[in-house]
Amino acid sequence: MIFAGLALLLTAIGLYGVMSYSVAQRTHEIGIRMALGARPADVLRLVVGQGMMLAGLGVGIGLVVALLATKVMASLLFGIGAKDPLTFVAIALIIAGVALVACLVPARRATRVDPMVALRYE
């Protein structure tokens, strides 16, 4: 249980880091969008949407790999079946929730970009 919590924490830190870096790299683009009339809600939807699309792709690939690895892992699991659907769904939802929170923090920071500062930023 402790290792699962640590893995989840590392996942959250990694997702936050990648999203924060992505938003920092796109400050100029976000500033241009804001200067052309994009509302903060539009920027929030753009950043979170792109982050969740990548997270969804990762969760999908992870589920496929996990299902393929069930034969190897069956001998290591105790108390649950190797293809327990509740576990697969629960973990996918938890990872998606962590990804959403990790995307929201940099996305909220992106909505506060001042267009004039972002256009001068280089």
Side-chain angles (χ1 to χ4, degrees):
M1 190 72 143
I2 293 172
F3 290 120
L6 278 172
L8 190 61
L9 179 66
L10 286 173
T11 300
I13 291 169
L15 284 169
Y16 171 77
V18 168
M19 287 305 300
S20 184
Y21 179 75
S22 172
V23 168
Q25 292 295 312
R26 296 174 62 190
T27 301
H28 189 70
E29 172 201 340
I30 292 170
I32 291 172
R33 288 177 185 270
M34 298 286 278
L36 291 174
R39 295 173 309 197
D42 297 331
V43 173
L44 185 75
R45 188 172 24 259
L46 173 77
V47 174
V48 171
Q50 289 177 346
M52 289 307 293
M53 183 178 60
L54 290 175
L57 182 66
V59 167
I61 291 171
L63 282 172
V64 169
V65 171
L67 284 171
L68 292 175
T70 56
K71 291 196 188 295
V72 175
M73 297 300 292
S75 64
L76 302 173
L77 299 174
F78 300 102
I80 62 168
K83 292 184 180 180
D84 183 32
L86 180 63
T87 303
F88 278 95
V89 170
I91 296 302
L93 290 175
I94 289 171
I95 296 294
V98 166
L100 179 63
V101 171
C103 289
L104 278 175
V105 175
R108 294 230 2 171
R109 193 174 335 119
T111 62
R112 296 187 195 112
V113 169
D114 181 25
M116 291 308 295
V117 172
L119 293 175
R120 280 187 243 138
Y121 178 78
E122 290 269 328

